[in-house]
Amino acid sequence: MFDSVESLESKLTSVDSLENLSSPLENAKRAASYKAMDEHFLPLLLAKIPEWSKLSTIQEFSAVQPLVVGIGSGSTVVYAAERLGEIKSVFNAFLNDLNLICVATGFQSENLILNNNLRLGTLAYYPELAIAFDGADECDPQLGCIKGGGACLLQEKLVALSAKKFIVVADDRKKVPYLSYGWKIPIEVVNNAPTFVEHQLKKIFGKDLKECVIRESMPKKAGAVVTDNFNCIMDINIGPVHNVEEINNKLKQITGIVETGLFPNVNCVAAYFGNSDGSVEKILHQ
Ligand SMILES: O=C[C@H](O)[C@H](O)[C@H](O)COP(=O)(O)O
């Protein structure tokens, strides 16, 4: 006989009882990620349990629609993957490898999924995700974001746009009144195009283009950062970004720019910002 759902939920580590990590910042990232996972993934899972608890054979499990979850990149989403791994192990009777699939946003994210004993799938197999969790470099009040601090913006955008719900997990430094408040916009550019792209940016943005640099890998490797898609990253400063969609569209019209780190809010329903005391501020999309 299965344990009751309530008794399983109570087996999850209580967020208040977690031991301190190496720094207050890490505590903040973990608090945001755990809360986001508990408030957004658990309800999806609990809604499926009545259906899944009737299944017993592998054939029956493989016939049901899996819950497909996007796991992003960066240092914050590490804790979201950790919590998802814990939920999976506690709810093992209902949530096996066949009905929970995780889609990655790149190399680091693939390893996060595998290291937490989660099953890896791809967008090619699972083009529709129930939900995706990812970090952000900046997030505005409308839940528009700048992403790409770790150069994963292209695959992150593919996953975010494939998810019915997109959830941002971050520490409180990422909550800003408008985008490019303190962060440049990363753009992924094909390798032989940076000079062409810079020239076009000057034409379009004129004096507003204050900075345009190719991101370097130093000190770990000499030369430009190479993305998981074998392109380079340019970080540009065109001043405050108030209309995220308009700027994103302007940038995307330039040949040679594969994708931008500007994420206008398409389906971001909530952002969780962790504070160093372990409390979490949540902003919901209006
Ligand atoms: O390319 C990387 C991503 O967009 C990250 O999600 C973003 O940089 C936030 O990373 P972190 O959680 O380490 O602040």
Side-chain angles (χ1 to χ4, degrees), residues 165-208:
K165 286 182 177 178
F166 179 60
I167 313 286
V168 168
V169 289
D171 61 81
D172 59 351
R173 300 170 307 168
K174 313 300 183 69
K175 185 175 165 247
V176 294
Y178 54 83
L179 297 184
S180 249
Y181 184 71
W183 200 271
K184 297 182 199 100
I185 305 169
I187 48 177
E188 182 154 349
V189 174
V190 290
N191 274 319
N192 57 356
T195 310
F196 173 84
V197 166
E198 183 172 2
H199 199 62
Q200 300 303 312
L201 287 168
K202 280 181 184 155
K203 278 197 211 164
I204 294 173
F205 294 102
K207 286 197 183 101
D208 287 341

Short mmCIF file of all heavy atoms in Angstrom, two decimals, residues 165-208:
data_model
loop_
_atom_site.label_atom_id
_atom_site.label_comp_id
_atom_site.label_asym_id
_atom_site.label_seq_id
_atom_site.Cartn_x
_atom_site.Cartn_y
_atom_site.Cartn_z
N LYS A 165 4.52 27.42 -18.00
CA LYS A 165 4.80 28.37 -16.93
C LYS A 165 6.31 28.48 -16.78
O LYS A 165 7.01 27.46 -16.75
CB LYS A 165 4.26 27.86 -15.60
CG LYS A 165 2.80 27.95 -15.43
CD LYS A 165 2.46 27.44 -14.04
CE LYS A 165 0.97 27.56 -13.77
NZ LYS A 165 0.65 27.03 -12.45
N PHE A 166 6.78 29.71 -16.63
CA PHE A 166 8.21 29.94 -16.43
C PHE A 166 8.39 30.62 -15.08
O PHE A 166 7.70 31.61 -14.78
CB PHE A 166 8.74 30.82 -17.57
CG PHE A 166 10.20 31.16 -17.47
CD1 PHE A 166 11.16 30.16 -17.45
CD2 PHE A 166 10.63 32.49 -17.39
CE1 PHE A 166 12.51 30.46 -17.36
CE2 PHE A 166 11.98 32.80 -17.30
CZ PHE A 166 12.92 31.78 -17.29
N ILE A 167 9.28 30.07 -14.25
CA ILE A 167 9.47 30.60 -12.90
C ILE A 167 10.93 31.04 -12.73
O ILE A 167 11.85 30.26 -13.02
CB ILE A 167 9.20 29.50 -11.83
CG1 ILE A 167 7.90 28.74 -12.11
CG2 ILE A 167 9.23 30.08 -10.42
CD1 ILE A 167 6.64 29.48 -11.84
N VAL A 168 11.11 32.26 -12.27
CA VAL A 168 12.47 32.78 -12.05
C VAL A 168 12.87 32.55 -10.59
O VAL A 168 12.08 32.82 -9.68
CB VAL A 168 12.53 34.29 -12.37
CG1 VAL A 168 13.82 34.91 -11.87
CG2 VAL A 168 12.38 34.51 -13.87
N VAL A 169 14.07 32.06 -10.39
CA VAL A 169 14.62 31.92 -9.03
C VAL A 169 15.91 32.72 -8.96
O VAL A 169 16.77 32.62 -9.83
CB VAL A 169 14.87 30.43 -8.65
CG1 VAL A 169 13.54 29.72 -8.45
CG2 VAL A 169 15.71 29.68 -9.68
N ALA A 170 16.02 33.56 -7.94
CA ALA A 170 17.17 34.48 -7.89
C ALA A 170 17.40 34.96 -6.46
O ALA A 170 16.55 34.76 -5.60
CB ALA A 170 16.89 35.68 -8.80
N ASP A 171 18.52 35.59 -6.24
CA ASP A 171 18.71 36.27 -4.96
C ASP A 171 18.26 37.72 -5.12
O ASP A 171 18.04 38.19 -6.25
CB ASP A 171 20.17 36.16 -4.50
CG ASP A 171 21.11 36.79 -5.48
OD1 ASP A 171 21.25 38.03 -5.45
OD2 ASP A 171 21.70 36.08 -6.33
N ASP A 172 18.14 38.42 -4.00
CA ASP A 172 17.48 39.74 -4.05
C ASP A 172 18.27 40.80 -4.82
O ASP A 172 17.71 41.83 -5.16
CB ASP A 172 17.15 40.23 -2.63
CG ASP A 172 18.38 40.37 -1.75
OD1 ASP A 172 19.47 39.91 -2.17
OD2 ASP A 172 18.25 40.93 -0.64
N ARG A 173 19.53 40.54 -5.17
CA ARG A 173 20.28 41.53 -5.97
C ARG A 173 19.71 41.63 -7.38
O ARG A 173 19.97 42.59 -8.10
CB ARG A 173 21.76 41.11 -6.09
CG ARG A 173 22.50 41.00 -4.77
CD ARG A 173 23.85 40.36 -4.99
NE ARG A 173 23.72 39.08 -5.70
CZ ARG A 173 24.72 38.40 -6.24
NH1 ARG A 173 25.95 38.87 -6.16
NH2 ARG A 173 24.51 37.26 -6.87
N LYS A 174 18.95 40.62 -7.80
CA LYS A 174 18.49 40.55 -9.19
C LYS A 174 17.20 41.32 -9.44
O LYS A 174 16.77 41.47 -10.58
CB LYS A 174 18.30 39.09 -9.61
CG LYS A 174 19.44 38.16 -9.27
CD LYS A 174 20.72 38.60 -9.93
CE LYS A 174 21.89 37.67 -9.68
NZ LYS A 174 21.78 36.39 -10.31
N LYS A 175 16.57 41.76 -8.36
CA LYS A 175 15.29 42.49 -8.50
C LYS A 175 15.60 43.95 -8.81
O LYS A 175 16.23 44.63 -7.99
CB LYS A 175 14.54 42.36 -7.17
CG LYS A 175 13.18 42.93 -7.16
CD LYS A 175 12.52 42.63 -5.82
CE LYS A 175 11.32 43.50 -5.66
NZ LYS A 175 11.46 44.48 -4.59
N VAL A 176 15.21 44.41 -9.99
CA VAL A 176 15.58 45.76 -10.41
C VAL A 176 14.33 46.52 -10.91
O VAL A 176 13.36 45.89 -11.33
CB VAL A 176 16.63 45.72 -11.56
CG1 VAL A 176 17.96 45.15 -11.07
CG2 VAL A 176 16.12 44.92 -12.75
N PRO A 177 14.37 47.86 -10.88
CA PRO A 177 13.20 48.62 -11.36
C PRO A 177 13.03 48.57 -12.88
O PRO A 177 11.92 48.73 -13.39
CB PRO A 177 13.49 50.05 -10.88
CG PRO A 177 14.95 50.10 -10.56
CD PRO A 177 15.38 48.71 -10.24
N TYR A 178 14.13 48.40 -13.60
CA TYR A 178 14.08 48.27 -15.07
C TYR A 178 15.33 47.50 -15.49
O TYR A 178 16.30 47.41 -14.72
CB TYR A 178 14.03 49.65 -15.76
CG TYR A 178 15.13 50.58 -15.34
CD1 TYR A 178 16.40 50.50 -15.93
CD2 TYR A 178 14.94 51.52 -14.32
CE1 TYR A 178 17.43 51.34 -15.52
CE2 TYR A 178 15.97 52.35 -13.91
CZ TYR A 178 17.21 52.26 -14.52
OH TYR A 178 18.23 53.06 -14.11
N LEU A 179 15.29 46.95 -16.72
CA LEU A 179 16.42 46.13 -17.15
C LEU A 179 17.60 46.98 -17.63
O LEU A 179 17.43 48.11 -18.05
CB LEU A 179 15.99 45.15 -18.25
CG LEU A 179 14.93 44.13 -17.83
CD1 LEU A 179 14.64 43.14 -18.95
CD2 LEU A 179 15.35 43.38 -16.56
N SER A 180 18.78 46.39 -17.52
CA SER A 180 20.06 47.07 -17.76
C SER A 180 20.28 48.13 -16.69
O SER A 180 20.90 49.16 -16.91
CB SER A 180 20.16 47.67 -19.16
OG SER A 180 21.12 46.95 -19.89
N TYR A 181 19.76 47.86 -15.52
CA TYR A 181 19.94 48.73 -14.35
C TYR A 181 21.41 48.71 -13.95
O TYR A 181 22.01 49.74 -13.69
CB TYR A 181 19.06 48.17 -13.24
CG TYR A 181 19.01 48.96 -11.96
CD1 TYR A 181 18.35 50.18 -11.92
CD2 TYR A 181 19.60 48.47 -10.80
CE1 TYR A 181 18.28 50.90 -10.74
CE2 TYR A 181 19.52 49.18 -9.61
CZ TYR A 181 18.87 50.40 -9.59
OH TYR A 181 18.79 51.11 -8.43
N GLY A 182 21.98 47.51 -13.96
CA GLY A 182 23.41 47.41 -13.64
C GLY A 182 24.09 46.35 -14.46
O GLY A 182 25.24 46.00 -14.21
N TRP A 183 23.38 45.80 -15.40
CA TRP A 183 23.87 44.64 -16.14
C TRP A 183 23.81 44.95 -17.62
O TRP A 183 22.86 45.58 -18.09
CB TRP A 183 22.97 43.43 -15.82
CG TRP A 183 23.61 42.11 -16.12
CD1 TRP A 183 23.56 41.43 -17.30
CD2 TRP A 183 24.37 41.29 -15.24
NE1 TRP A 183 24.25 40.26 -17.21
CE2 TRP A 183 24.76 40.14 -15.95
CE3 TRP A 183 24.79 41.41 -13.89
CZ2 TRP A 183 25.53 39.12 -15.39
CZ3 TRP A 183 25.54 40.39 -13.34
CH2 TRP A 183 25.92 39.27 -14.08
N LYS A 184 24.80 44.50 -18.39
CA LYS A 184 24.74 44.70 -19.85
C LYS A 184 23.86 43.62 -20.46
O LYS A 184 23.54 42.62 -19.81
CB LYS A 184 26.14 44.60 -20.44
CG LYS A 184 27.08 45.68 -19.92
CD LYS A 184 28.45 45.56 -20.58
CE LYS A 184 29.49 46.30 -19.76
NZ LYS A 184 30.30 45.47 -18.90
N ILE A 185 23.46 43.82 -21.71
CA ILE A 185 22.64 42.82 -22.39
C ILE A 185 23.57 41.86 -23.13
O ILE A 185 24.32 42.29 -24.03
CB ILE A 185 21.70 43.47 -23.43
CG1 ILE A 185 20.84 44.55 -22.78
CG2 ILE A 185 20.84 42.41 -24.11
CD1 ILE A 185 20.09 45.42 -23.80
N PRO A 186 23.53 40.58 -22.80
CA PRO A 186 24.34 39.63 -23.58
C PRO A 186 23.63 39.31 -24.90
O PRO A 186 22.40 39.20 -24.93
CB PRO A 186 24.38 38.38 -22.69
CG PRO A 186 23.72 38.74 -21.40
CD PRO A 186 22.86 39.93 -21.68
N ILE A 187 24.39 39.20 -25.96
CA ILE A 187 23.81 38.73 -27.23
C ILE A 187 24.71 37.60 -27.75
O ILE A 187 25.93 37.68 -27.64
CB ILE A 187 23.68 39.85 -28.30
CG1 ILE A 187 24.98 40.67 -28.43
CG2 ILE A 187 22.51 40.78 -27.99
CD1 ILE A 187 24.93 41.73 -29.53
N GLU A 188 24.07 36.56 -28.26
CA GLU A 188 24.85 35.44 -28.83
C GLU A 188 25.02 35.72 -30.32
O GLU A 188 24.05 35.95 -31.04
CB GLU A 188 24.12 34.11 -28.57
CG GLU A 188 24.90 32.92 -29.09
CD GLU A 188 24.59 31.61 -28.36
OE1 GLU A 188 23.92 31.63 -27.31
OE2 GLU A 188 25.05 30.57 -28.86
N VAL A 189 26.28 35.70 -30.75
CA VAL A 189 26.61 36.16 -32.11
C VAL A 189 27.43 35.07 -32.80
O VAL A 189 28.31 34.45 -32.17
CB VAL A 189 27.45 37.47 -32.00
CG1 VAL A 189 27.96 37.92 -33.36
CG2 VAL A 189 26.61 38.58 -31.36
N VAL A 190 27.16 34.83 -34.08
CA VAL A 190 27.98 33.83 -34.79
C VAL A 190 29.42 34.32 -34.84
O VAL A 190 29.70 35.53 -34.88
CB VAL A 190 27.45 33.51 -36.21
CG1 VAL A 190 26.14 32.75 -36.15
CG2 VAL A 190 27.29 34.75 -37.04
N ASN A 191 30.34 33.34 -34.84
CA ASN A 191 31.75 33.65 -34.57
C ASN A 191 32.43 34.66 -35.49
O ASN A 191 33.33 35.37 -35.08
CB ASN A 191 32.57 32.36 -34.59
CG ASN A 191 32.51 31.73 -33.22
OD1 ASN A 191 32.60 32.45 -32.23
ND2 ASN A 191 32.32 30.43 -33.16
N ASN A 192 32.00 34.70 -36.75
CA ASN A 192 32.70 35.63 -37.66
C ASN A 192 31.95 36.95 -37.82
O ASN A 192 32.26 37.74 -38.71
CB ASN A 192 32.92 34.98 -39.03
CG ASN A 192 31.62 34.52 -39.65
OD1 ASN A 192 30.57 34.62 -39.01
ND2 ASN A 192 31.67 34.02 -40.87
N ALA A 193 30.98 37.21 -36.93
CA ALA A 193 30.14 38.39 -37.15
C ALA A 193 30.28 39.54 -36.15
O ALA A 193 29.62 40.57 -36.33
CB ALA A 193 28.68 37.97 -37.23
N PRO A 194 31.11 39.46 -35.08
CA PRO A 194 31.08 40.55 -34.10
C PRO A 194 31.33 41.94 -34.69
O PRO A 194 30.64 42.89 -34.29
CB PRO A 194 32.21 40.18 -33.12
CG PRO A 194 32.27 38.71 -33.18
CD PRO A 194 31.97 38.35 -34.61
N THR A 195 32.24 42.07 -35.63
CA THR A 195 32.52 43.41 -36.15
C THR A 195 31.31 43.93 -36.93
O THR A 195 30.89 45.08 -36.78
CB THR A 195 33.77 43.39 -37.08
OG1 THR A 195 34.81 42.73 -36.36
CG2 THR A 195 34.22 44.76 -37.47
N PHE A 196 30.73 43.04 -37.75
CA PHE A 196 29.54 43.41 -38.51
C PHE A 196 28.41 43.82 -37.55
O PHE A 196 27.75 44.85 -37.72
CB PHE A 196 29.09 42.22 -39.38
CG PHE A 196 27.78 42.43 -40.07
CD1 PHE A 196 27.72 43.11 -41.28
CD2 PHE A 196 26.59 41.98 -39.51
CE1 PHE A 196 26.50 43.33 -41.91
CE2 PHE A 196 25.37 42.20 -40.14
CZ PHE A 196 25.32 42.87 -41.34
N VAL A 197 28.22 43.00 -36.51
CA VAL A 197 27.14 43.26 -35.56
C VAL A 197 27.37 44.60 -34.85
O VAL A 197 26.45 45.42 -34.71
CB VAL A 197 27.01 42.10 -34.54
CG1 VAL A 197 26.15 42.49 -33.34
CG2 VAL A 197 26.42 40.87 -35.23
N GLU A 198 28.60 44.86 -34.45
CA GLU A 198 28.89 46.12 -33.75
C GLU A 198 28.58 47.31 -34.67
O GLU A 198 28.01 48.32 -34.25
CB GLU A 198 30.36 46.16 -33.31
CG GLU A 198 30.68 47.43 -32.53
CD GLU A 198 32.07 47.42 -31.91
OE1 GLU A 198 32.82 46.44 -32.11
OE2 GLU A 198 32.41 48.43 -31.25
N HIS A 199 28.95 47.17 -35.94
CA HIS A 199 28.70 48.23 -36.92
C HIS A 199 27.20 48.52 -37.04
O HIS A 199 26.76 49.67 -37.04
CB HIS A 199 29.27 47.74 -38.26
CG HIS A 199 29.50 48.83 -39.23
ND1 HIS A 199 30.38 49.86 -39.00
CD2 HIS A 199 28.93 49.05 -40.45
CE1 HIS A 199 30.34 50.68 -40.03
NE2 HIS A 199 29.48 50.22 -40.92
N GLN A 200 26.41 47.43 -37.09
CA GLN A 200 24.95 47.58 -37.20
C GLN A 200 24.37 48.21 -35.93
O GLN A 200 23.48 49.05 -35.99
CB GLN A 200 24.27 46.21 -37.43
CG GLN A 200 24.71 45.49 -38.68
CD GLN A 200 24.49 46.32 -39.93
OE1 GLN A 200 23.42 46.89 -40.14
NE2 GLN A 200 25.52 46.43 -40.76
N LEU A 201 24.92 47.78 -34.78
CA LEU A 201 24.42 48.32 -33.50
C LEU A 201 24.64 49.83 -33.45
O LEU A 201 23.78 50.58 -32.99
CB LEU A 201 25.14 47.64 -32.33
CG LEU A 201 24.74 46.19 -32.03
CD1 LEU A 201 25.72 45.54 -31.05
CD2 LEU A 201 23.32 46.13 -31.48
N LYS A 202 25.82 50.26 -33.96
CA LYS A 202 26.11 51.71 -33.97
C LYS A 202 25.12 52.45 -34.84
O LYS A 202 24.65 53.54 -34.51
CB LYS A 202 27.54 51.94 -34.48
CG LYS A 202 28.59 51.71 -33.41
CD LYS A 202 29.99 51.96 -33.95
CE LYS A 202 31.03 51.63 -32.91
NZ LYS A 202 32.34 51.29 -33.50
N LYS A 203 24.78 51.83 -35.98
CA LYS A 203 23.82 52.47 -36.89
C LYS A 203 22.45 52.59 -36.23
O LYS A 203 21.77 53.61 -36.35
CB LYS A 203 23.66 51.62 -38.17
CG LYS A 203 24.73 51.83 -39.19
CD LYS A 203 24.21 51.27 -40.50
CE LYS A 203 25.34 50.73 -41.34
NZ LYS A 203 24.88 49.86 -42.42
N ILE A 204 22.04 51.54 -35.54
CA ILE A 204 20.68 51.51 -34.97
C ILE A 204 20.58 52.34 -33.69
O ILE A 204 19.63 53.10 -33.50
CB ILE A 204 20.23 50.05 -34.70
CG1 ILE A 204 20.09 49.31 -36.03
CG2 ILE A 204 18.91 50.00 -33.92
CD1 ILE A 204 19.83 47.84 -35.91
N PHE A 205 21.58 52.21 -32.82
CA PHE A 205 21.46 52.85 -31.50
C PHE A 205 22.27 54.14 -31.36
O PHE A 205 22.12 54.86 -30.37
CB PHE A 205 21.85 51.85 -30.39
CG PHE A 205 20.90 50.69 -30.30
CD1 PHE A 205 21.23 49.45 -30.84
CD2 PHE A 205 19.65 50.85 -29.70
CE1 PHE A 205 20.34 48.38 -30.76
CE2 PHE A 205 18.76 49.78 -29.63
CZ PHE A 205 19.11 48.55 -30.16
N GLY A 206 23.13 54.43 -32.33
CA GLY A 206 23.90 55.69 -32.30
C GLY A 206 24.64 55.87 -30.99
O GLY A 206 25.28 54.95 -30.49
N LYS A 207 24.49 57.07 -30.42
CA LYS A 207 25.21 57.40 -29.18
C LYS A 207 24.72 56.58 -27.98
O LYS A 207 25.39 56.52 -26.95
CB LYS A 207 25.04 58.89 -28.87
CG LYS A 207 25.86 59.77 -29.77
CD LYS A 207 25.99 61.17 -29.14
CE LYS A 207 26.75 62.10 -30.05
NZ LYS A 207 25.90 63.03 -30.82
N ASP A 208 23.53 55.99 -28.12
CA ASP A 208 23.03 55.16 -27.00
C ASP A 208 23.86 53.90 -26.81
O ASP A 208 23.80 53.28 -25.74
CB ASP A 208 21.57 54.75 -27.25
CG ASP A 208 20.64 55.93 -27.05
OD1 ASP A 208 21.06 56.91 -26.40
OD2 ASP A 208 19.51 55.88 -27.56
#
